[in-house]
Amino acid sequence: MEKFLSLSVEKQKIIIDAALTCFGANGYQKASISDIATTAGVSKALIFHYFGTKKALYLYLVELCGNILTNEINEKLDHSVTDFFERIRLLTNIKLSVLKKHPAMFSFLNNVYFENDDEVKADIKAILANGKGENIRNKIIFDGMDDSKFKDGIDTKLVMKIITWLTDGYLSKMPKTGIDLDTLCEEFDECINLFKNNFYKEKYI
């Protein structure tokens, strides 16, 4: 890894984007170092020189993408937004802005989320656990959140689970390439508006 990180940022980006693209399109098992090398315009031996194994490269990308998203959220999340659904909308828009800047990341992360290959699934789970993904997400959503707008008896944590389940189902049907993030954002906004109008005491839209 030290040898890879000693490269210029531009050269690192070429290899990273190539690997994200290949893993995102084909999944862990079917993506090959040869394909990644060809896409990056470098030799297969050079990829092995930098990362040692396909698995090491893949797990590096998982951690890298997680760090990029986390840093962007920490920098841009406005904690003065206390409305439950507006905070979810804000969090989603921050994530989508990152994915627009790094187009290959969306398909890669989608594949990571549903990856079931025995060689990497335990490692993915460990990385996500170390990042405390779900706990961090809930902390972001619920800390300082104003639940006074909800109808009596509405369990906000259950609402969060419903949104997560719907998102998982939606993402599982997404194509591997050619994803229109603007359309995705519009459809997500429609869902958020639907939730607000059904779970809040008054219509806020």
Side-chain angles (χ1 to χ4, degrees), residues 18-84:
L20 289 172
T21 298
C22 292
F23 283 127
N26 301 307
Y28 176 75
Q29 187 177 41
K30 293 182 179 179
S32 70
I33 293 296
S34 294
D35 292 337
I36 293 169
T38 299
T39 303
V42 299
S43 70
K44 177 180 174 181
L46 198 60
I47 301 293
F48 281 118
H49 176 68
Y50 290 139
F51 294 97
T53 65
K54 182 174 81 166
K55 178 179 179 179
L57 170 57
Y58 183 83
L59 297 179
Y60 168 75
L61 294 174
V62 175
E63 293 200 17
L64 176 67
C65 291
N67 290 336
I68 290 172
L69 285 168
T70 298
N71 291 339
E72 195 79 1
I73 290 167
N74 289 337
E75 180 182 339
K76 295 186 176 179
L77 187 68
D78 182 359
H79 291 277
S80 69
V81 176
T82 59
D83 181 284
F84 177 82

Side-chain angles (χ1 to χ4, degrees), residues 6-199:
S6 68
L7 294 173
S8 68
V9 173
E10 182 180 356
K11 288 182 179 178
Q12 287 183 43
K13 186 177 185 302
I14 290 171
I15 294 172
I16 288 168
D17 286 346
L20 289 172
T21 298
C22 292
F23 283 127
N26 301 307
Y28 176 75
Q29 187 177 41
K30 293 182 179 179
S32 70
I33 293 296
S34 294
D35 292 337
I36 293 169
T38 299
T39 303
V42 299
S43 70
K44 177 180 174 181
L46 198 60
I47 301 293
F48 281 118
H49 176 68
Y50 290 139
F51 294 97
T53 65
K54 182 174 81 166
K55 178 179 179 179
L57 170 57
Y58 183 83
L59 297 179
Y60 168 75
L61 294 174
V62 175
E63 293 200 17
L64 176 67
C65 291
N67 290 336
I68 290 172
L69 285 168
T70 298
N71 291 339
E72 195 79 1
I73 290 167
N74 289 337
E75 180 182 339
K76 295 186 176 179
L77 187 68
D78 182 359
H79 291 277
S80 69
V81 176
T82 59
D83 181 284
F84 177 82
F85 291 111
E86 290 308 315
R87 191 175 286 187
I88 291 175
R89 197 196 306 268
L90 175 59
L91 180 61
T92 301
N93 286 338
I94 292 171
K95 290 180 178 179
L96 287 175
S97 71
V98 174
L99 297 175
K100 283 183 178 181
K101 288 190 288 186
H102 307 276
M105 193 185 291
F106 184 93
S107 293
F108 174 75
L109 288 176
N110 197 21
N111 264 303
V112 167
Y113 193 74
F114 296 104
E115 182 59 66
N116 202 35
D117 190 282
D118 288 337
E119 189 174 351
V120 293
K121 66 179 182 181
D123 296 279
I124 293 170
K125 185 176 180 180
I127 291 171
L128 296 179
N130 287 336
K132 299 179 177 62
E134 184 175 354
N135 291 333
I136 292 295
R137 183 194 62 205
N138 286 340
K139 180 177 173 60
I140 290 170
I141 297 300
F142 290 106
D143 276 9
M145 186 267 293
D146 176 15
D147 62 0
S148 64
K149 297 176 183 178
F150 280 93
K151 295 176 181 177
D152 293 341
I154 296 292
D155 182 345
T156 55
K157 287 187 170 54
L158 179 57
V159 173
M160 189 68 243
K161 285 184 178 180
I162 292 170
I163 292 173
T164 302
W165 293 333
L166 288 173
T167 303
D168 288 353
Y170 188 91
L171 291 177
S172 69
K173 304 298 182 184
M174 292 289 286
K176 294 186 182 298
T177 58
I179 299 164
D180 187 338
L181 291 177
D182 288 326
T183 299
L184 178 62
C185 189
E186 289 173 6
E187 292 176 347
F188 184 78
D189 277 344
E190 290 176 4
C191 291
I192 290 297
N193 292 340
L194 178 65
F195 280 126
K196 290 182 77 170
N197 274 324
N198 281 276
F199 291 133

